[in-house]
Amino acid sequence: MSILERIKQANARQPAEEDVWVRASVLVAVVAAALAVVDQGVGGPAFRIVVVGGLPFAYWYSWRTRERDGFWRKAVVAVGAVLTLVWFVTTIAPRAGGTFADAQVPLAELLLMIQVLHGLDVPGRRDLLFSLLSSAVLMAVAGTLSVSMGLVPYLVVWGVASASALVLAHHSALAELPSLAGEPGRNEHRRALRPVVKIVAWSMAAGLGLFLVIPPGGTSRALLFPAQILKLLPIPSPGELSNTSLGAADPAAGPVFGAEAKAGRSGGRASFAYFGFSTSVDLSARGRPDNSLVMRVRAARPALWRGQTFDVWDGREWTMSDQHTETLYAPLPIPVRPPSEDGLITGPTGPLVQTYYVVKPGPNLIFGAAPISKVYFPDRQVYELSDGTLRSGVEVGKGTIYTVVSQPSTAGSEALRRADSNPIGTPADIKDRYAQPPVITPRVRDLALRATAVATTTYDKVIDLEDAIATQTTYSLNIPPLPAGADAVDQFLFVDQKGFCEQIATSLVVMLRSLGVPARVVAGYATGLRNPFTGLYDVRASDAHLWTEVWFPGLGWQSFDPTAVVPLAGDQGSLRAGTGLGAYLSHELSGVPGWLEIAVLVAVIAALLTVATVRLSGPWMARRRRPKPSWSDWCLARLEQVGRARGRPRRPSETVYEYASALEEVSPSDGELDRVAALVSRAAFSGHAISDEDRQWVERALDEAMPPGRHRKPEPAAPRAPANVGR
Amino acid sequence: MRSRRSRLRPAGVPRRGLILLGLVGSFYFIARASGAGWVIVLLCLEGPVVALAAIWPVFTLLRAHVEVLGNQRDATAGSIATFSLRVQRAGSGVRLQLIVGGDPSGWVAAAGTSQGEITATPPERGIVNVVTVQMEGAGPLGLVTWVRRLELVLPVAMEVGPTPTPVTSDELAGLRAQTDEALSMGAGHDTIKGVRPYAFGDPIRVVHWPATARWGEVMVKEFEGPDAPEVTIVVDLRGDPDRSEAAASLAAGMARAGLRAGLAVSLLTAERAGPSAGSVTSPTLVGRRLARAVTDAAPPAPDAGATVLRVSAT
């Protein structure tokens, strides 16, 4: 068969699908998938109206014209598809040279338009199933674009509708054949849909199992580098730090005085923001960021999302010694190389791609696992500080998406221990800036010396100091105010002996500097809780964090988190997609009242018990409900057995008389079977019992009518009570 | 009836299932490349659906129970025969066909427990003890089809007679004339031994009107005498298989023609149990005798003096 013939055969007109329920369920699945895509911000208002209104219209039109030849319809669809493709090409052409992420939304729009056009020409079952298949592709597109749990309702509707469509389509195919049992009954569709519940239940159970073992999405080497900004609002002073979430304390808002300054800098704020994302970190300030979602991070493995560093410590506050910025402007990606580390890093590194989806406006810091090597930021212009901190020139508002490629060190503990003997050594500018003797009290210095008395390497000193801090203090967010004139580290280590990340990280840096080790504090976000469904880390305001970076010759700045266990270099991250499912669900359900949890649990157990009871007791109940067979029933069963043995089973529509006559024709018996039928009918329907002699005669006649070797008693055994035939 | 043998296999390449499997594979690639967790979720929902679509029909077919409740004893090669089937536990539905002697019937659908008749056409003469039921199940999702073939023993062995060859040969002309003469002499004088349905060629005068009125179809009288002229048909089916079947068909045609002409027809055939000789009084009996006739043995010799017609495959 030639290719042309094959194409003709593939496009040959199919029989029209007459089952409206198949069409309806396919339409629901397609619309759910289309809405899922549209809900990700694809298309403008007019486009959405065309899609949402066009799909039902297209399916209705296709249903009305299913029997027609459809040449012109196909022609219109083909022309429409070509025009849509032209539109797609002209849309993405200006973005040539961008990343694949630039084509994502136009591609989604193209698929939606093709889906609408295809909906105009779905006369047959095969066409409908093709639509169903393409709706699965649309769901995958929506899944690629979605970063929230908002996809769940669409996924549920699409899944149920798809399963229903497949089941109904199969049922429709079977219904085209002659039925062994004659015409189908009235409730065939309801019966056909019964397996859908089982399919959904089994799929979810098996899907959950698969979800717990399958590798997660994403690798270190991603193909997509999304970058998007909804509104370009320039920062008042380009290169300066801006943080609108700090309100009056926003460093870009100019100096603040009096009560406003107190409220912003020293007191607790109603704002969700962390005041460490400013030009200073005041350890006398008290306040706690709320639990609101700040951003979502897509990354193949966990890391600390660094914002900026502080190097100057005055005993109560961290500030920055150098806020000079260098403008980086380039087509995406924007290359980034921390100037202080040029040629100084020889240790192993591994790429880590992270995409940040900003949910709440925050600082204009570009977060990323350190050190950052490339940035995909939609403004194409960023500002770099000497410590590697990146700032944007525009406000980072809700809906902003940017991607960062980092080259974090993969050095393990042994490599860190060997680093001290690296001939590269520590550059003088690093030593001058980060290893100067700090503001420190004598007893803190003594503690540092005592704790590291036996340590021979920088790494061991860090570990020993972490242990000392852990021994000396406990973690608490509720600490008393810092007294006027008190040294924050001394107060934490020897007076209050409790504190949080700011006190802990500061203590480690101060003690390391007292030993001549270059160190600094870093403000950023902890990894956040991984959402196993989206595969993204949900970073909340309360994940704002301060930790420590220590310089290692040849390896550069290495992160240490004395507050908690820092993700070690080389951490593989989640090896399974479902990792953290329990933790995520318990966190998400933590706001649900306890009584509701118990009620749901009880309801689920009750439902399972009910189902199990019904399933187990069903056969027993059926047996109980079955009427006790009468003598007439037994005789009729016996007569049918005789008939089957003679190769003439009883037809469903035949009366006892008709059947007996038919058997007489097949194998004449001098009218005995006719008489049997008469007596059996009389016993069943006359309301009067027949005599015992007649009964015995009937039973004997039936026995004799049975061919030799086939004297098997029918079930149930012959009762003696008169009753009805009931057939 | 119990099944003798059963075989389960997939029905060719399940294209729809493969397309979905390809889609699942693509989703995995997309998820790995993009890091989209929802695509993994989608994959985890679709993967089991594909697996269910592949496995579910296996269980449906293995659970399904098929039995032949009844069948007609007499059939003719190339003509439709009716079988009564009952299917139990067919779940959301299977389609099935009956294969008799290698020729499949049309498909019928059966769901749950259902019972009904299915027709098939036995292609050739012989005794049919076993039929094959081919069940195809793809439900409930209809993506992957499995086939199960069952060999079922018939409740009653079906005797498939040959397709009668229409006989217009002059060989029977003389005998027909004799018969007509005998019948004309004996009509109204001889004892009626019974009635039978009208067959093509029966004289109108032998129609039994009371029986016709009672049965609703035209019945004709069968007389005990006077002695109808006898003809013995010797059927020797040894030889080339194609010619054997043609010979059997010709014998059937001749015997039926003889019966229609009112002759007393005897058939001499070779059966599995040995040579068989005996008169046949109806087309049904002709069919049965010829259904049993074998091709590897010689028929008995006819009585001396009998009017003999020889039908041979050689």
Side-chain angles (χ1 to χ4, degrees), chain A residues 155-236:
Chain A
L155 194 61
V156 169
V157 173
W158 175 81
V160 173
S162 297
S164 305
L166 285 173
V167 169
L168 287 170
H170 175 63
H171 180 258
S172 174
L174 278 181
E176 286 175 355
L177 298 173
S179 170
L180 184 65
E183 291 300 311
R186 286 170 57 197
N187 294 323
E188 281 297 296
H189 280 102
R190 210 168 61 186
R191 273 187 53 198
L193 281 173
R194 276 183 197 162
V196 173
V197 178
K198 287 184 186 174
I199 289 165
V200 170
W202 277 106
S203 300
M204 287 189 68
L208 179 64
L210 185 61
F211 190 57
L212 293 174
V213 297
I214 197 170
T219 59
S220 296
R221 300 181 187 280
L223 293 180
L224 291 177
F225 304 96
Q228 169 192 303
I229 197 158
L230 300 180
K231 272 186 183 175
L232 282 171
L233 295 174
I235 300 295

Side-chain angles (χ1 to χ4, degrees), chain B residues 219-240:
Chain B
M219 306 296 282
V220 295
K221 293 170 270 191
E222 285 188 318
F223 299 96
E224 284 190 342
D227 293 340
E230 282 188 15
V231 61
T232 300
I233 302 173
V234 180
V235 186
D236 187 353
L237 300 181
R238 290 174 297 170
D240 177 66

Side-chain angles (χ1 to χ4, degrees), chain A residues 561-636:
Chain A
D561 187 3
T563 308
V565 179
V566 64
L568 290 172
D571 192 332
Q572 293 300 307
S574 303
L575 295 175
R576 305 282 174 259
T579 303
L581 181 63
Y584 179 79
L585 290 178
S586 64
H587 179 268
E588 290 299 306
L589 294 174
S590 59
V592 177
W595 63 266
L596 188 59
E597 284 183 25
I598 293 171
V600 170
L601 188 67
V602 169
V604 169
I605 291 173
L608 288 175
L609 283 175
T610 306
V611 169
T613 307
V614 169
R615 296 285 296 181
L616 292 174
S617 64
W620 179 77
M621 292 289 285
R623 277 198 299 276
R624 293 268 300 173
R625 281 197 296 268
R626 196 179 298 156
K628 199 173 178 182
S630 65
W631 177 81
S632 309
D633 287 330
W634 178 85
C635 291
L636 184 57

Side-chain angles (χ1 to χ4, degrees), chain A residues 148 178 180 207 216 218 533-534 647 710, chain B residues 31-32 35 37-38 44 46 71 109 117 155:
Chain A
S148 71
L180 184 65
F533 299 105
T534 61
R710 290 180 176 270
Chain B
R32 292 293 284 172
W38 279 120
C44 288
E46 288 215 339
N71 62 282
E117 289 184 347

Side-chain angles (χ1 to χ4, degrees), chain B residues 8 47-62 137-141 144 146:
Chain B
L8 187 70
V49 169
V50 176
L52 276 177
I55 294 170
W56 197 313
V58 175
F59 286 101
T60 302
L61 290 177
L62 288 177
L141 289 161
V144 180
W146 286 78

Side-chain angles (χ1 to χ4, degrees), chain A residues 129 133 136-137 139-140 143-144 146 148-149 151-152 155 158 163 166-167 170 174 177-181 191 195 198-199 202-204 206-207 210-211 214-219 222-224 298 533-535 577 644-651 665 710, chain B residues 16 19-20 23 27-49 52 56 69-72 84-85 87 92-95 107-112 114-118 138-143 155-156 215:
Chain A
L129 290 178
L133 192 74
V137 175
M139 279 309 297
T144 311
S146 174
S148 71
M149 297 297 283
L151 194 69
V152 171
L155 194 61
W158 175 81
L166 285 173
V167 169
H170 175 63
L174 278 181
L177 298 173
S179 170
L180 184 65
R191 273 187 53 198
K198 287 184 186 174
I199 289 165
W202 277 106
S203 300
M204 287 189 68
L210 185 61
F211 190 57
I214 197 170
T219 59
L223 293 180
L224 291 177
R298 172 166 289 152
F533 299 105
T534 61
R644 284 198 297 273
R646 294 182 180 183
R648 174 62 172 84
R650 185 184 172 199
R651 291 172 184 145
E665 283 181 33
R710 290 180 176 270
Chain B
R16 286 179 189 169
I19 290 171
L20 260 187
L23 199 67
F27 284 178
Y28 183 73
F29 172 76
I30 291 169
R32 292 293 284 172
S34 68
W38 279 120
V39 181
I40 289 282
V41 174
L42 197 62
L43 186 156
C44 288
L45 289 176
E46 288 215 339
V49 169
L52 276 177
W56 197 313
L69 294 177
N71 62 282
Q72 61 189 64
S84 178
L85 250 64
V87 181
S92 56
V94 295
R95 62 177 200 161
W107 290 101
V108 295
S114 48
Q115 178 179 334
E117 289 184 347
I118 185 168
L141 289 161
L143 297 175
V156 179
W215 291 97

